[in-house]
Amino acid sequence: MSFVRRKIEVSFTLGPRLDNSGNIVARPTFSGSTDSDTLTLNGFRTSAKISKAGGAGMSTLQLRIYGMELSQMNDLATLGLLPGIVTNNSVTISVGDEGKTLSTVFQGTISNAWIDFQGIPDVAFHVLAHVGLYQAV
């Protein structure tokens, strides 16, 4: 039996900001980036739990990732937003063997995201996401 290095790739995409009529009013970008609405992270300490209950239930992702920059976490954090407001920010998780093509195992809308400073210096960014959440609202 041989051991193989595994790879987890996490991609975040900031969705456009819409007004009450559904018109795009802004296209946000990540801090420190001039025009990118997508952030792809490789090689970070990551824990992802994907649940699929079956039936009409949506698949759910519970993600914890360490080592992100504070500005990146602030761009994605949902705490402080108005209750009931769903942003169109999304997360995609791809996994596989290092050096080979990665397979997408989850793609969904972020419902909650927050920074956990309790373990300083190991600051974790928590994400709760659901498949089809934005489309269901």
Side-chain angles (χ1 to χ4, degrees), residues 45-114:
R45 182 174 144 204
T46 304
S47 170
K49 179 181 177 185
I50 301 169
S51 303
K52 173 61 176 145
M58 296 184 285
S59 294
T60 301
L61 167 71
Q62 296 175 351
L63 175 71
R64 187 171 47 232
I65 187 165
Y66 295 84
M68 290 177 65
E69 295 177 15
L70 182 60
S71 62
Q72 296 167 340
M73 294 186 284
N74 282 332
D75 289 340
L76 290 162
T78 59
L79 293 180
L81 295 178
L82 298 173
I85 299 297
V86 176
T87 61
N88 194 14
N89 295 342
S90 63
V91 59
T92 301
I93 306 292
S94 300
V95 299
D97 296 339
E98 193 171 86
K100 296 190 177 178
T101 303
L102 301 180
S103 300
T104 299
V105 294
F106 182 88
Q107 186 172 11
T109 305
I110 297 172
S111 60
N112 291 310
W114 66 96

Short mmCIF file of all heavy atoms in Angstrom, two decimals, residues 45-114:
data_model
loop_
_atom_site.label_atom_id
_atom_site.label_comp_id
_atom_site.label_asym_id
_atom_site.label_seq_id
_atom_site.Cartn_x
_atom_site.Cartn_y
_atom_site.Cartn_z
N ARG A 45 -4.71 24.60 5.74
CA ARG A 45 -5.30 23.61 6.65
C ARG A 45 -6.81 23.76 6.59
O ARG A 45 -7.35 24.82 6.87
CB ARG A 45 -4.79 23.86 8.06
CG ARG A 45 -5.29 22.88 9.08
CD ARG A 45 -4.60 23.14 10.41
NE ARG A 45 -5.54 22.90 11.48
CZ ARG A 45 -5.44 23.44 12.68
NH1 ARG A 45 -4.45 24.28 12.94
NH2 ARG A 45 -6.31 23.15 13.61
N THR A 46 -7.49 22.69 6.17
CA THR A 46 -8.92 22.77 5.88
C THR A 46 -9.65 21.56 6.43
O THR A 46 -9.16 20.45 6.35
CB THR A 46 -9.14 22.83 4.34
OG1 THR A 46 -8.40 23.92 3.81
CG2 THR A 46 -10.60 23.00 4.00
N SER A 47 -10.85 21.82 6.95
CA SER A 47 -11.75 20.75 7.37
C SER A 47 -13.11 21.02 6.72
O SER A 47 -13.66 22.11 6.87
CB SER A 47 -11.89 20.74 8.89
OG SER A 47 -12.91 19.87 9.29
N ALA A 48 -13.62 20.05 5.98
CA ALA A 48 -14.91 20.21 5.30
C ALA A 48 -15.80 19.02 5.59
O ALA A 48 -15.38 17.87 5.43
CB ALA A 48 -14.69 20.35 3.79
N LYS A 49 -17.01 19.30 6.03
CA LYS A 49 -18.01 18.25 6.27
C LYS A 49 -19.19 18.53 5.34
O LYS A 49 -19.83 19.56 5.44
CB LYS A 49 -18.47 18.26 7.72
CG LYS A 49 -19.51 17.21 8.02
CD LYS A 49 -19.94 17.27 9.48
CE LYS A 49 -21.03 16.25 9.73
NZ LYS A 49 -21.56 16.37 11.09
N ILE A 50 -19.43 17.59 4.42
CA ILE A 50 -20.52 17.74 3.45
C ILE A 50 -21.60 16.74 3.82
O ILE A 50 -21.33 15.55 3.95
CB ILE A 50 -20.02 17.51 2.02
CG1 ILE A 50 -18.91 18.51 1.69
CG2 ILE A 50 -21.16 17.61 1.02
CD1 ILE A 50 -18.16 18.21 0.41
N SER A 51 -22.82 17.24 4.00
CA SER A 51 -23.95 16.38 4.39
C SER A 51 -25.02 16.42 3.33
O SER A 51 -25.40 17.49 2.86
CB SER A 51 -24.56 16.86 5.71
OG SER A 51 -23.59 16.89 6.72
N LYS A 52 -25.51 15.24 2.95
CA LYS A 52 -26.63 15.13 2.02
C LYS A 52 -27.65 14.21 2.67
O LYS A 52 -27.47 13.00 2.72
CB LYS A 52 -26.16 14.57 0.67
CG LYS A 52 -27.29 14.27 -0.29
CD LYS A 52 -28.10 15.50 -0.63
CE LYS A 52 -29.16 15.17 -1.67
NZ LYS A 52 -30.37 15.90 -1.51
N ALA A 53 -28.72 14.83 3.19
CA ALA A 53 -29.73 14.06 3.92
C ALA A 53 -30.62 13.26 2.98
O ALA A 53 -31.23 12.28 3.38
CB ALA A 53 -30.57 15.00 4.77
N GLY A 54 -30.73 13.68 1.75
CA GLY A 54 -31.62 13.00 0.80
C GLY A 54 -32.97 13.69 0.74
O GLY A 54 -33.28 14.60 1.50
N GLY A 55 -33.80 13.23 -0.16
CA GLY A 55 -35.12 13.83 -0.32
C GLY A 55 -35.03 15.27 -0.77
O GLY A 55 -34.20 15.62 -1.59
N ALA A 56 -35.89 16.10 -0.21
CA ALA A 56 -35.95 17.50 -0.61
C ALA A 56 -34.91 18.36 0.10
O ALA A 56 -34.78 19.54 -0.20
CB ALA A 56 -37.34 18.06 -0.33
N GLY A 57 -34.19 17.79 1.05
CA GLY A 57 -33.18 18.56 1.79
C GLY A 57 -32.01 18.96 0.90
O GLY A 57 -31.61 18.23 0.00
N MET A 58 -31.48 20.15 1.17
CA MET A 58 -30.33 20.64 0.42
C MET A 58 -29.05 20.09 1.01
O MET A 58 -28.94 19.92 2.23
CB MET A 58 -30.29 22.17 0.46
CG MET A 58 -31.46 22.86 -0.20
SD MET A 58 -31.29 24.65 -0.21
CE MET A 58 -31.66 25.06 1.49
N SER A 59 -28.07 19.82 0.18
CA SER A 59 -26.75 19.43 0.68
C SER A 59 -26.16 20.62 1.43
O SER A 59 -26.36 21.77 1.07
CB SER A 59 -25.83 19.06 -0.47
OG SER A 59 -26.28 17.90 -1.12
N THR A 60 -25.42 20.31 2.50
CA THR A 60 -24.88 21.35 3.37
C THR A 60 -23.38 21.15 3.52
O THR A 60 -22.89 20.03 3.62
CB THR A 60 -25.54 21.27 4.76
OG1 THR A 60 -26.95 21.44 4.61
CG2 THR A 60 -25.02 22.35 5.68
N LEU A 61 -22.65 22.26 3.55
CA LEU A 61 -21.21 22.26 3.78
C LEU A 61 -20.92 22.99 5.07
O LEU A 61 -21.42 24.10 5.29
CB LEU A 61 -20.48 22.96 2.63
CG LEU A 61 -19.00 23.29 2.86
CD1 LEU A 61 -18.15 22.03 2.88
CD2 LEU A 61 -18.50 24.28 1.83
N GLN A 62 -20.12 22.37 5.94
CA GLN A 62 -19.56 23.03 7.11
C GLN A 62 -18.06 23.05 6.89
O GLN A 62 -17.41 22.01 6.90
CB GLN A 62 -19.91 22.29 8.39
CG GLN A 62 -21.39 22.27 8.67
CD GLN A 62 -21.71 21.41 9.89
OE1 GLN A 62 -20.87 20.70 10.42
NE2 GLN A 62 -22.96 21.47 10.32
N LEU A 63 -17.52 24.24 6.66
CA LEU A 63 -16.12 24.40 6.29
C LEU A 63 -15.38 25.19 7.36
O LEU A 63 -15.91 26.18 7.89
CB LEU A 63 -16.02 25.13 4.94
CG LEU A 63 -14.64 25.51 4.44
CD1 LEU A 63 -13.88 24.26 4.00
CD2 LEU A 63 -14.75 26.49 3.28
N ARG A 64 -14.17 24.76 7.66
CA ARG A 64 -13.28 25.51 8.55
C ARG A 64 -11.94 25.55 7.85
O ARG A 64 -11.38 24.51 7.47
CB ARG A 64 -13.19 24.81 9.91
CG ARG A 64 -12.44 25.60 10.94
CD ARG A 64 -12.53 25.01 12.33
NE ARG A 64 -12.27 23.57 12.33
CZ ARG A 64 -13.09 22.68 12.88
NH1 ARG A 64 -14.20 23.03 13.46
NH2 ARG A 64 -12.77 21.38 12.85
N ILE A 65 -11.42 26.77 7.67
CA ILE A 65 -10.15 26.93 6.96
C ILE A 65 -9.26 27.89 7.75
O ILE A 65 -9.73 28.90 8.26
CB ILE A 65 -10.38 27.40 5.51
CG1 ILE A 65 -9.10 27.42 4.70
CG2 ILE A 65 -11.08 28.73 5.45
CD1 ILE A 65 -9.31 27.51 3.21
N TYR A 66 -7.99 27.52 7.86
CA TYR A 66 -7.03 28.29 8.66
C TYR A 66 -6.02 28.96 7.74
O TYR A 66 -5.66 28.42 6.70
CB TYR A 66 -6.28 27.36 9.62
CG TYR A 66 -7.15 26.72 10.66
CD1 TYR A 66 -7.85 25.55 10.38
CD2 TYR A 66 -7.28 27.27 11.92
CE1 TYR A 66 -8.65 24.94 11.34
CE2 TYR A 66 -8.08 26.67 12.89
CZ TYR A 66 -8.75 25.52 12.59
OH TYR A 66 -9.55 24.92 13.53
N GLY A 67 -5.54 30.15 8.16
CA GLY A 67 -4.44 30.80 7.46
C GLY A 67 -4.84 31.85 6.43
O GLY A 67 -3.98 32.40 5.76
N MET A 68 -6.12 32.13 6.32
CA MET A 68 -6.56 33.16 5.37
C MET A 68 -6.16 34.54 5.89
O MET A 68 -6.00 34.75 7.10
CB MET A 68 -8.08 33.12 5.18
CG MET A 68 -8.58 31.92 4.43
SD MET A 68 -10.40 31.89 4.32
CE MET A 68 -10.71 33.35 3.32
N GLU A 69 -6.02 35.49 4.98
CA GLU A 69 -5.75 36.87 5.38
C GLU A 69 -7.02 37.47 5.97
O GLU A 69 -8.14 37.14 5.56
CB GLU A 69 -5.31 37.69 4.17
CG GLU A 69 -3.98 37.24 3.60
CD GLU A 69 -3.59 38.04 2.36
OE1 GLU A 69 -4.20 39.11 2.11
OE2 GLU A 69 -2.70 37.58 1.64
N LEU A 70 -6.85 38.37 6.93
CA LEU A 70 -7.99 39.00 7.59
C LEU A 70 -8.89 39.74 6.59
O LEU A 70 -10.11 39.67 6.67
CB LEU A 70 -7.51 39.97 8.68
CG LEU A 70 -8.59 40.67 9.49
CD1 LEU A 70 -9.48 39.66 10.21
CD2 LEU A 70 -7.98 41.63 10.48
N SER A 71 -8.29 40.41 5.62
CA SER A 71 -9.08 41.15 4.63
C SER A 71 -9.96 40.22 3.81
O SER A 71 -11.10 40.54 3.48
CB SER A 71 -8.18 41.98 3.71
OG SER A 71 -7.32 41.14 2.97
N GLN A 72 -9.44 39.02 3.49
CA GLN A 72 -10.23 38.04 2.74
C GLN A 72 -11.40 37.54 3.56
O GLN A 72 -12.53 37.41 3.06
CB GLN A 72 -9.35 36.86 2.32
CG GLN A 72 -8.24 37.22 1.37
CD GLN A 72 -7.22 36.12 1.22
OE1 GLN A 72 -7.10 35.22 2.06
NE2 GLN A 72 -6.45 36.18 0.13
N MET A 73 -11.15 37.27 4.84
CA MET A 73 -12.22 36.80 5.71
C MET A 73 -13.28 37.88 5.90
O MET A 73 -14.48 37.60 5.91
CB MET A 73 -11.66 36.35 7.06
CG MET A 73 -10.78 35.12 6.96
SD MET A 73 -10.23 34.46 8.55
CE MET A 73 -8.96 35.63 9.01
N ASN A 74 -12.86 39.14 6.02
CA ASN A 74 -13.81 40.24 6.17
C ASN A 74 -14.68 40.40 4.94
O ASN A 74 -15.86 40.72 5.04
CB ASN A 74 -13.07 41.55 6.45
CG ASN A 74 -12.62 41.67 7.88
OD1 ASN A 74 -13.23 41.10 8.79
ND2 ASN A 74 -11.55 42.40 8.10
N ASP A 75 -14.11 40.16 3.76
CA ASP A 75 -14.89 40.27 2.51
C ASP A 75 -16.01 39.24 2.45
O ASP A 75 -17.06 39.48 1.86
CB ASP A 75 -13.99 40.10 1.29
CG ASP A 75 -13.06 41.27 1.07
OD1 ASP A 75 -13.34 42.37 1.59
OD2 ASP A 75 -12.05 41.09 0.36
N LEU A 76 -15.79 38.08 3.08
CA LEU A 76 -16.76 36.98 3.00
C LEU A 76 -17.66 36.86 4.22
O LEU A 76 -18.71 36.22 4.15
CB LEU A 76 -16.01 35.66 2.81
CG LEU A 76 -15.35 35.47 1.46
CD1 LEU A 76 -14.30 34.38 1.52
CD2 LEU A 76 -16.40 35.16 0.40
N ALA A 77 -17.27 37.44 5.35
CA ALA A 77 -18.03 37.30 6.59
C ALA A 77 -19.45 37.85 6.43
O ALA A 77 -19.66 38.88 5.80
CB ALA A 77 -17.32 38.00 7.74
N THR A 78 -20.41 37.13 7.01
CA THR A 78 -21.82 37.53 6.89
C THR A 78 -22.36 38.12 8.19
O THR A 78 -23.47 38.65 8.20
CB THR A 78 -22.70 36.34 6.51
OG1 THR A 78 -22.58 35.33 7.52
CG2 THR A 78 -22.32 35.79 5.16
N LEU A 79 -21.61 38.05 9.29
CA LEU A 79 -22.10 38.62 10.54
C LEU A 79 -22.23 40.13 10.40
O LEU A 79 -21.36 40.79 9.84
CB LEU A 79 -21.17 38.27 11.70
CG LEU A 79 -21.13 36.79 12.07
CD1 LEU A 79 -20.16 36.57 13.23
CD2 LEU A 79 -22.50 36.28 12.44
N GLY A 80 -23.31 40.67 10.89
CA GLY A 80 -23.55 42.10 10.78
C GLY A 80 -24.45 42.47 9.62
O GLY A 80 -24.90 43.59 9.52
N LEU A 81 -24.72 41.52 8.72
CA LEU A 81 -25.65 41.78 7.63
C LEU A 81 -27.08 41.73 8.17
O LEU A 81 -27.35 41.16 9.22
CB LEU A 81 -25.49 40.75 6.51
CG LEU A 81 -24.15 40.77 5.77
CD1 LEU A 81 -24.12 39.66 4.72
CD2 LEU A 81 -23.92 42.10 5.10
N LEU A 82 -28.00 42.29 7.45
CA LEU A 82 -29.40 42.28 7.87
C LEU A 82 -29.94 40.85 7.87
O LEU A 82 -29.68 40.09 6.94
CB LEU A 82 -30.24 43.15 6.93
CG LEU A 82 -29.88 44.63 6.89
CD1 LEU A 82 -30.67 45.33 5.80
CD2 LEU A 82 -30.13 45.27 8.24
N PRO A 83 -30.69 40.48 8.90
CA PRO A 83 -31.27 39.12 8.94
C PRO A 83 -32.18 38.88 7.74
O PRO A 83 -32.92 39.77 7.32
CB PRO A 83 -32.07 39.11 10.24
CG PRO A 83 -31.51 40.23 11.06
CD PRO A 83 -31.01 41.25 10.08
N GLY A 84 -32.12 37.68 7.20
CA GLY A 84 -32.98 37.33 6.08
C GLY A 84 -32.40 37.69 4.73
O GLY A 84 -32.94 37.31 3.70
N ILE A 85 -31.31 38.46 4.71
CA ILE A 85 -30.67 38.83 3.45
C ILE A 85 -29.73 37.71 3.04
O ILE A 85 -28.87 37.29 3.81
CB ILE A 85 -29.88 40.15 3.58
CG1 ILE A 85 -30.81 41.29 3.97
CG2 ILE A 85 -29.12 40.46 2.30
CD1 ILE A 85 -31.87 41.62 2.95
N VAL A 86 -29.89 37.19 1.83
CA VAL A 86 -29.01 36.15 1.32
C VAL A 86 -28.16 36.76 0.21
O VAL A 86 -28.68 37.26 -0.77
CB VAL A 86 -29.83 34.95 0.77
CG1 VAL A 86 -28.90 33.92 0.16
CG2 VAL A 86 -30.68 34.34 1.86
N THR A 87 -26.85 36.73 0.43
CA THR A 87 -25.95 37.21 -0.62
C THR A 87 -25.72 36.07 -1.60
O THR A 87 -25.96 34.91 -1.29
CB THR A 87 -24.60 37.65 -0.02
OG1 THR A 87 -23.99 36.53 0.61
CG2 THR A 87 -24.77 38.78 0.98
N ASN A 88 -25.26 36.40 -2.77
CA ASN A 88 -25.00 35.38 -3.78
C ASN A 88 -23.53 34.97 -3.78
O ASN A 88 -22.99 34.61 -4.80
CB ASN A 88 -25.42 35.89 -5.16
CG ASN A 88 -25.50 34.78 -6.18
OD1 ASN A 88 -25.49 33.61 -5.84
ND2 ASN A 88 -25.56 35.14 -7.44
N ASN A 89 -22.88 35.04 -2.60
CA ASN A 89 -21.50 34.58 -2.50
C ASN A 89 -21.51 33.06 -2.51
O ASN A 89 -22.35 32.43 -1.87
CB ASN A 89 -20.85 35.09 -1.22
CG ASN A 89 -20.72 36.60 -1.19
OD1 ASN A 89 -20.79 37.25 -2.23
ND2 ASN A 89 -20.54 37.16 -0.02
N SER A 90 -20.56 32.47 -3.22
CA SER A 90 -20.57 31.01 -3.34
C SER A 90 -19.21 30.42 -2.99
O SER A 90 -18.20 31.12 -2.95
CB SER A 90 -20.96 30.60 -4.76
OG SER A 90 -20.01 31.05 -5.70
N VAL A 91 -19.24 29.12 -2.71
CA VAL A 91 -18.03 28.38 -2.39
C VAL A 91 -18.04 27.08 -3.18
O VAL A 91 -19.09 26.46 -3.37
CB VAL A 91 -17.91 28.10 -0.87
CG1 VAL A 91 -19.08 27.31 -0.35
CG2 VAL A 91 -16.59 27.42 -0.53
N THR A 92 -16.86 26.71 -3.68
CA THR A 92 -16.69 25.45 -4.41
C THR A 92 -15.54 24.69 -3.78
O THR A 92 -14.47 25.25 -3.55
CB THR A 92 -16.37 25.72 -5.90
OG1 THR A 92 -17.44 26.48 -6.47
CG2 THR A 92 -16.21 24.42 -6.67
N ILE A 93 -15.78 23.41 -3.50
CA ILE A 93 -14.75 22.55 -2.92
C ILE A 93 -14.38 21.50 -3.97
O ILE A 93 -15.26 20.79 -4.48
CB ILE A 93 -15.25 21.83 -1.65
CG1 ILE A 93 -15.80 22.83 -0.64
CG2 ILE A 93 -14.15 20.95 -1.05
CD1 ILE A 93 -14.77 23.73 -0.03
N SER A 94 -13.09 21.40 -4.27
CA SER A 94 -12.58 20.39 -5.20
C SER A 94 -11.50 19.59 -4.48
O SER A 94 -10.68 20.16 -3.75
CB SER A 94 -12.00 21.03 -6.45
OG SER A 94 -12.99 21.79 -7.12
N VAL A 95 -11.52 18.28 -4.68
CA VAL A 95 -10.55 17.41 -3.99
C VAL A 95 -9.98 16.38 -4.96
O VAL A 95 -10.55 16.11 -6.02
CB VAL A 95 -11.21 16.67 -2.79
CG1 VAL A 95 -11.73 17.65 -1.77
CG2 VAL A 95 -12.32 15.75 -3.26
N GLY A 96 -8.85 15.82 -4.57
CA GLY A 96 -8.25 14.75 -5.37
C GLY A 96 -6.81 14.50 -4.96
O GLY A 96 -6.32 15.05 -3.98
N ASP A 97 -6.16 13.67 -5.74
CA ASP A 97 -4.75 13.37 -5.50
C ASP A 97 -3.90 14.49 -6.06
O ASP A 97 -4.20 15.06 -7.12
CB ASP A 97 -4.36 12.06 -6.19
CG ASP A 97 -5.09 10.86 -5.62
OD1 ASP A 97 -5.59 10.95 -4.48
OD2 ASP A 97 -5.17 9.83 -6.31
N GLU A 98 -2.82 14.81 -5.33
CA GLU A 98 -1.93 15.86 -5.78
C GLU A 98 -1.34 15.50 -7.14
O GLU A 98 -0.93 14.37 -7.38
CB GLU A 98 -0.82 16.07 -4.76
CG GLU A 98 -0.02 17.33 -4.97
CD GLU A 98 0.91 17.60 -3.82
OE1 GLU A 98 2.02 17.06 -3.83
OE2 GLU A 98 0.51 18.35 -2.91
N GLY A 99 -1.34 16.46 -8.07
CA GLY A 99 -0.79 16.24 -9.39
C GLY A 99 -1.79 15.71 -10.40
O GLY A 99 -1.47 15.56 -11.57
N LYS A 100 -2.99 15.41 -9.96
CA LYS A 100 -4.02 14.90 -10.86
C LYS A 100 -5.19 15.88 -10.91
O LYS A 100 -5.26 16.82 -10.13
CB LYS A 100 -4.50 13.53 -10.41
CG LYS A 100 -3.41 12.47 -10.48
CD LYS A 100 -3.95 11.10 -10.26
CE LYS A 100 -2.80 10.10 -10.42
NZ LYS A 100 -3.23 8.75 -10.19
N THR A 101 -6.11 15.64 -11.82
CA THR A 101 -7.29 16.50 -11.96
C THR A 101 -8.16 16.38 -10.71
O THR A 101 -8.43 15.28 -10.23
CB THR A 101 -8.11 16.09 -13.19
OG1 THR A 101 -7.26 16.14 -14.34
CG2 THR A 101 -9.29 17.01 -13.39
N LEU A 102 -8.60 17.54 -10.20
CA LEU A 102 -9.45 17.57 -9.02
C LEU A 102 -10.91 17.42 -9.41
O LEU A 102 -11.32 17.85 -10.48
CB LEU A 102 -9.25 18.88 -8.25
CG LEU A 102 -7.84 19.17 -7.76
CD1 LEU A 102 -7.80 20.51 -7.03
CD2 LEU A 102 -7.33 18.06 -6.87
N SER A 103 -11.68 16.82 -8.52
CA SER A 103 -13.12 16.65 -8.73
C SER A 103 -13.88 17.60 -7.83
O SER A 103 -13.57 17.72 -6.63
CB SER A 103 -13.55 15.21 -8.40
OG SER A 103 -12.88 14.30 -9.22
N THR A 104 -14.89 18.26 -8.37
CA THR A 104 -15.73 19.14 -7.57
C THR A 104 -16.68 18.29 -6.76
O THR A 104 -17.43 17.49 -7.31
CB THR A 104 -16.51 20.13 -8.47
OG1 THR A 104 -15.58 20.92 -9.20
CG2 THR A 104 -17.42 21.02 -7.65
N VAL A 105 -16.65 18.47 -5.42
CA VAL A 105 -17.52 17.69 -4.54
C VAL A 105 -18.63 18.53 -3.92
O VAL A 105 -19.59 17.98 -3.39
CB VAL A 105 -16.71 16.98 -3.44
CG1 VAL A 105 -15.80 15.93 -4.04
CG2 VAL A 105 -15.93 17.97 -2.60
N PHE A 106 -18.49 19.86 -3.99
CA PHE A 106 -19.54 20.73 -3.46
C PHE A 106 -19.46 22.08 -4.15
O PHE A 106 -18.39 22.61 -4.37
CB PHE A 106 -19.39 20.94 -1.94
CG PHE A 106 -20.48 21.78 -1.34
CD1 PHE A 106 -21.65 21.19 -0.90
CD2 PHE A 106 -20.35 23.15 -1.24
CE1 PHE A 106 -22.67 21.96 -0.36
CE2 PHE A 106 -21.36 23.93 -0.72
CZ PHE A 106 -22.53 23.33 -0.28
N GLN A 107 -20.64 22.63 -4.45
CA GLN A 107 -20.74 23.99 -4.98
C GLN A 107 -22.06 24.54 -4.48
O GLN A 107 -23.13 23.98 -4.76
CB GLN A 107 -20.71 23.99 -6.50
CG GLN A 107 -20.67 25.37 -7.09
CD GLN A 107 -20.43 25.35 -8.60
OE1 GLN A 107 -20.49 24.29 -9.23
NE2 GLN A 107 -20.16 26.50 -9.17
N GLY A 108 -22.00 25.62 -3.69
CA GLY A 108 -23.22 26.15 -3.12
C GLY A 108 -23.10 27.59 -2.68
O GLY A 108 -22.04 28.22 -2.80
N THR A 109 -24.19 28.11 -2.12
CA THR A 109 -24.29 29.49 -1.68
C THR A 109 -23.97 29.59 -0.19
O THR A 109 -24.45 28.79 0.61
CB THR A 109 -25.71 30.03 -1.92
OG1 THR A 109 -26.04 29.86 -3.30
CG2 THR A 109 -25.82 31.51 -1.57
N ILE A 110 -23.17 30.57 0.18
CA ILE A 110 -22.80 30.78 1.57
C ILE A 110 -23.97 31.41 2.32
O ILE A 110 -24.48 32.45 1.92
CB ILE A 110 -21.56 31.69 1.67
CG1 ILE A 110 -20.37 31.02 1.01
CG2 ILE A 110 -21.27 32.05 3.13
CD1 ILE A 110 -19.15 31.91 0.87
N SER A 111 -24.41 30.75 3.39
CA SER A 111 -25.48 31.32 4.21
C SER A 111 -24.92 32.03 5.43
O SER A 111 -25.43 33.08 5.83
CB SER A 111 -26.48 30.24 4.64
OG SER A 111 -25.83 29.24 5.40
N ASN A 112 -23.88 31.50 6.03
CA ASN A 112 -23.22 32.12 7.17
C ASN A 112 -21.72 31.94 7.05
O ASN A 112 -21.25 30.87 6.63
CB ASN A 112 -23.67 31.47 8.50
CG ASN A 112 -25.10 31.79 8.83
OD1 ASN A 112 -25.51 32.94 8.82
ND2 ASN A 112 -25.88 30.76 9.12
N ALA A 113 -20.98 32.97 7.42
CA ALA A 113 -19.52 32.90 7.42
C ALA A 113 -19.00 33.83 8.51
O ALA A 113 -19.45 34.97 8.61
CB ALA A 113 -18.97 33.32 6.05
N TRP A 114 -18.09 33.32 9.33
CA TRP A 114 -17.59 34.13 10.43
C TRP A 114 -16.16 33.76 10.77
O TRP A 114 -15.69 32.68 10.44
CB TRP A 114 -18.49 34.01 11.66
CG TRP A 114 -18.50 32.64 12.29
CD1 TRP A 114 -17.74 32.20 13.34
CD2 TRP A 114 -19.30 31.52 11.90
NE1 TRP A 114 -18.03 30.89 13.62
CE2 TRP A 114 -18.99 30.45 12.75
CE3 TRP A 114 -20.27 31.31 10.90
CZ2 TRP A 114 -19.59 29.20 12.64
CZ3 TRP A 114 -20.86 30.06 10.80
CH2 TRP A 114 -20.53 29.03 11.66
#
